[in-house]
């Protein structure tokens, strides 16, 4: 009986050890992951031009919709956006007292983003985020307050399914989410035992051990949840019912007691030796084995002796079953904390757990190379096909990456965040291998992925960092450059990836120290661009288009210019990329469209002319959900006839999302708005698809014109494009005309319109009349 009690005690201790180690994983699932996601999503609401501080309209609602999407639960308590002394936007699905509680605490959080938990048994457990909005001079001009409920039934069910332990989230002393079932009902709404509540909720201490829950014995672990004042406002619980173990113990004790008495009375001389061989020794082995198991040695069960009687067999079989269950529970708890639930890959937490605290000076067994991958345009894919399709795409990408490195055990694939993956290599750095693998990754994305019978094309941008460790064999004095830890390697790889994004995506690049300076310049430029747009420090220039058939100007193209007060003239390509990366391009595009439409309407009215205006539209802007509404609203507010507006788009928009782009442009064509395909010849340039696109004009890129007088191939290409485009009813505009010789050639080829420095460079609004007066 002592051995049986030892067995039970060791088993109980092992259960306590497992559920105690599971509490951090439970906290990660319930609190940490939600906190990180809430902070990221709230940061997206700090829109480039602070329009959410001004008014609520279709554009701001779209921004909110894009920014706040809780992919895990799709639950929200409230969003409140406040300017200086007033609320500009509020959306609430909770009791007003919760919003009031959050607002009071937000006043204490200062000018840095802050998250905290608060609540009680009545209000529930809530996660809040306060995000100050600062102007470029770091002055507080508003703030964002967001709250979501923490206690989700889906979280406790997830823990239950992955660990086999019961899980509960308490708000105050009330179970607000639980897997404990009694009388076939979840025990949500029941309260915590008073004696344990005194320890956990009043004193703020953990509690591990035995407890009676709703009349049943449990091994339990309770951990308090604290608010920003370090006061317990709830608790997390993991536990395992011991009913079956108690029943088994009682059965074994009764059986052994009866057997022992009978043998003691009738067969004592013989039974003493029999008991030692068949009972005492096996139970002693079981006790020693359980001690080993409690230290994590689960393999000891493989050496279990064969039982010679039914009772001992029951004891050994039960122990083997419970050891297997405990080992599986431990593995599932680790899975809950370290595995990304969408792709099944190891996550950032696991990566840091494994390598985060190590110095990588000797990288023979540590990370030496980090590939930081960002899936290009995943946001647009989610918008076009839905987040479920986006998740399935991520799953396929994860499987493709794993298959690619399967033959190299020194590589491992991780999902870092929403659209970002990492491939980490163990061992020494090999530049040639880095290049080969990077090219292989890019080639994987050349073929479209099939999701729900829909072909989805995407690409990936890859940044790479490395430790070129030599262990002292290359340099007599170590310069420290090979001692980066994991955090620095990830940061450097991310900087390199961002540089690839700025250079056009779909490529790879190794980290270079100059990237730090480029990143700082981009961040500074982004802030300056926000301010320039807000203060209308940008300017629209106009370049006329010349109609060769009519021998006069018939319209112009609007081009954005920025003369920075301290940096001077900033090339459009540079600040347009910055605008696209920060989503400022949507507002910037609307701004120039309205300026250009208003200008040409007023100019035509004042001069009794009928010039048209062409405005460039970026892919990001076009794929915005409210783009068509924005164009029609601007036409209405400016009074411009749609027939005088032409929108210029690039080929890349069809490559990324041909179906959505086609539908949007077809809708605008029906409104009598012209559509021009810009920079034809610089991208994929397929003449075969021109007839199926909803375009009215084809603009041939300057690169084909530069040597048209000297290169017969360029001449033939331009001639062919003009003839084919004309035959299917498209207008032809050729860009970059700089010489009279180029002009005469294009006249012979019967080109429709041209623009370039030969006639005029882009000029400010004040000089347009003078330029146009040359050809009336």
């Amino acid at each position: 009986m002592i051995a049986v009690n030892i067995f039970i005690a060791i088993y109980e201790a092992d259960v306590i050890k497992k559920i105690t180690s599971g509490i951090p994983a439970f906290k990660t699932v319930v609190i940490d992951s939600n906190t990180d996601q809430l902070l990221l999503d709230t940061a997206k609401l700090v829109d480039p031009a602070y329009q959410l501080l001004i008014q609520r309209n279709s554009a701001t609602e779209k921004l909110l919709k894009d920014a706040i999407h809780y992919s895990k639960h799709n639950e929200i308590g409230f969003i409140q956006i406040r300017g200086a002394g007033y609320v500009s936007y509020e959306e609430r699905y909770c009791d007003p007292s919760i919003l009031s509680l959050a607002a009071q605490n937000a006043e204490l959080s200062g000018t840095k983003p802050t998250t905290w938990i608060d609540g009680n048994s009545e209000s529930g457990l809530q996660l809040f985020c306060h995000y100050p909005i600062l102007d470029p001079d770091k002055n507080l001009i508003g703030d964002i307050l967001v709250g979501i409920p923490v206690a989700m039934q889906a979280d406790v069910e997830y823990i239950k399914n992955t660990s086999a332990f019961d899980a509960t989230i308490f708000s105050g002393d009330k179970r607000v989410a639980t897997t404990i079932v009694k009388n076939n009902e979840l025990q949500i709404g029941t309260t915590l035992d008073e004696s344990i509540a005194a320890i956990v909720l009043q004193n703020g201490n953990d509690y591990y051990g035995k407890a009676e829950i709703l009349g049943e014995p449990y091994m339990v672990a309770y951990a308090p949840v604290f608010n920003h004042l370090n006061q317990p406002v709830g608790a997390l619980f993991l536990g395992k019912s011991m009913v079956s173990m108690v029943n088994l113990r009682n059965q074994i004790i009764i059986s052994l007691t009866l057997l022992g008495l009978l043998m003691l009375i009738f067969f004592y001389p013989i039974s003493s030796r029999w008991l030692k061989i068949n009972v005492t020794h096996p139970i002693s082995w079981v006790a020693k084995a359980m001690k080993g198991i409690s230290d994590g040695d689960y393999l000891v069960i493989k050496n279990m002796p064969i039982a010679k009687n039914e009772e001992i067999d029951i004891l050994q079989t039960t122990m083997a079953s419970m050891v297997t269950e405990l080992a599986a529970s431990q593995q599932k708890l680790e899975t809950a904390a370290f595995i990304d639930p969408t792709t099944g890959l190891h996550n950032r937490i696991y990566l840091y757990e494994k390598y985060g605290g190590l110095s990588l000076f000797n990288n023979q067994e540590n990370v030496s190379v980090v590939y930081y991958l960002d899936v290009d345009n995943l946001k647009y894919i989610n918008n076009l096909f839905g987040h479920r399709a986006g998740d399935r795409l991520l799953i396929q990408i994860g499987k493709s990456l794993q298959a690619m490195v399967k033959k190299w055990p020194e590589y491992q694939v991780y999902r870092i965040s929403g659209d970002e993956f990492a491939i980490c290599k163990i061992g020494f750095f090999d530049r040639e291998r880095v290049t080969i693998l990077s090219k292989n990754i890019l080639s994987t994305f050349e073929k479209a992925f099939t999701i729900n019978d829909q072909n989805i094309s995407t690409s990936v941008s890859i940044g790479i960092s490395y430790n070129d460790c030599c262990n002292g064999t290359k340099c007599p004095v170590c310069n420290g450059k090979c001692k980066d830890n994991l955090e620095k390697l990830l940061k450097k790889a991310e900087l390199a990836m961002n540089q690839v994004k700025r250079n056009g995506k779909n490529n790879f690049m190794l980290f270079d120290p100059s990237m730090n300076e480029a990143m700082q310049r981009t961040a500074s430029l982004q802030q300056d661009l926000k301010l320039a747009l807000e203060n209308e420090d940008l300017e629209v220039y106009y370049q006329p288009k010349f109609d060769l058939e009519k021998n006069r100007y018939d319209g112009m193209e609007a081009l954005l210019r920025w003369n920075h007060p301290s940096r001077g003239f900033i090339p459009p390509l540079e600040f347009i990329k910055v605008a696209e990366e920060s989503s400022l391009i949507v507002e910037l595009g609307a701004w120039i469209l309205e300026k250009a439409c208003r200008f040409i309407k007023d100019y035509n009215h004042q001069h009794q002319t009928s010039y048209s205006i062409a405005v460039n539209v970026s892919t990001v802007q076009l794929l915005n959900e409210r783009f068509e509404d924005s164009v029609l609203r601007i036409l209405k507010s400016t009074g411009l006839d749609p027939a005088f507006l032409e929108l210029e788009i690039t080929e890349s928009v069809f490559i990324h999302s041909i179906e959505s782009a086609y539908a949007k442009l077809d809708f605008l064509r029906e409104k009598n708005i012209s559509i021009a395909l810009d920079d034809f010849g610089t991208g994929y340039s397929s003449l075969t698809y021109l007839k199926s696109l909803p375009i009215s004009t084809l603009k041939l890129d300057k690169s084909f014109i530069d040597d048209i007088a000297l290169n017969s191939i360029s001449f033939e290409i331009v001639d062919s494009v003009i003839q084919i485009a004309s035959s299917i009813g498209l207008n032809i505009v050729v860009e970059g005309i700089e010489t009279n010789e180029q002009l005469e050639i294009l006249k012979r080829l019967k080109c429709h319109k041209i623009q370039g420095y030969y006639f005029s460079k882009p000029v400010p609004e004040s000089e347009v009349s003078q330029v146009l007066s040359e050809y009336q």
Side-chain angles (χ1 to χ4, degrees), residues 265-278:
I265 294 172
F266 297 105
F267 305 104
Y268 178 75
I270 301 173
S271 64
S272 61
R273 177 175 176 79
W274 186 91
L275 283 169
K276 182 176 181 181
I277 295 173
N278 294 281

Side-chain angles (χ1 to χ4, degrees), residues 9 181 274 298 448 561 611:
V181 177
W274 186 91
Y298 297 110
R561 296 293 183 262
Y611 293 121

Side-chain angles (χ1 to χ4, degrees), residues 386-444:
H387 287 275
R388 295 186 68 179
D391 286 345
R392 288 170 183 161
L393 174 63
L394 292 172
I395 292 170
Q396 288 196 26
I397 290 173
K399 289 180 179 179
S400 297
L401 295 176
Q402 280 187 306
M404 183 178 302
V405 301
K406 187 176 181 180
K407 60 182 178 181
W408 298 315
E410 66 270 26
Y411 289 87
Q412 279 199 336
V413 182
Y414 303 85
R415 186 187 179 196
I416 299 300
S417 63
D419 57 357
E420 296 174 346
F421 294 81
I423 300 177
C424 296
K425 179 187 180 299
I426 310 302
F428 293 109
F429 168 74
D430 183 335
R431 185 180 292 269
E432 183 177 354
R433 175 66 63 85
V434 167
T435 301
I436 292 173
L437 180 58
S438 299
K439 290 181 178 179
N440 287 343
I441 295 172
L442 293 175
S443 66
T444 299

Side-chain angles (χ1 to χ4, degrees), residues 140-165:
L140 182 66
I141 59 174
D143 60 3
I144 303 170
L145 196 56
V146 180
I148 61 172
V150 173
M152 297 294 179
Q153 186 65 22
D155 284 336
V156 295
E157 296 288 352
Y158 176 63
I159 292 295
K160 172 75 171 182
N161 293 335
T162 55
S163 70
F165 293 141

Side-chain angles (χ1 to χ4, degrees), residues 38 41-42 45 52 56 64-65 67-70 76-82 87-94 99 129 143-148:
L38 180 60
D41 285 344
T42 307
L45 290 172
L52 290 173
R56 178 175 178 176
L64 287 159
K65 181 180 177 182
I68 298 293
H69 60 276
Y70 299 101
I76 185 169
F78 66 85
I79 303 173
Q80 187 182 79
I81 302 175
R82 305 182 293 185
V87 174
S88 62
Y89 178 91
E90 182 176 298
E91 188 169 343
R92 179 174 58 81
Y93 301 97
C94 62
L99 182 55
C129 179
D143 60 3
I144 303 170
L145 196 56
V146 180
I148 61 172

Side-chain angles (χ1 to χ4, degrees), residues 499-567:
Q499 186 62 48
V500 174
K501 289 277 191 184
R502 286 191 293 275
N503 291 350
K505 306 178 182 180
N506 192 28
N507 209 334
F508 71 91
M509 184 176 294
L510 271 69
F511 171 80
D512 184 271
S514 63
M515 292 177 184
N516 277 321
E517 298 176 6
M519 181 63 68
Q520 292 172 0
R521 172 179 169 83
T522 298
S524 175
L525 205 61
Q526 180 180 327
Q527 292 299 319
D528 290 349
L529 186 56
K530 290 179 183 179
L531 192 60
L533 182 58
E534 182 178 342
N535 297 334
E536 297 201 4
D537 291 336
L538 301 168
E539 192 173 0
V540 181
Y541 275 46
Y542 299 91
Q543 185 175 33
K545 294 180 182 180
F546 192 85
D547 190 318
L548 290 176
E549 294 179 353
K550 298 178 181 178
N551 197 39
R552 66 176 179 84
Y553 294 122
D554 79 331
M556 60 201 79
E557 179 181 0
L559 300 165
L560 197 59
R561 296 293 183 262
W562 184 16
N563 191 8
H564 194 280
S566 60
R567 301 180 184 180

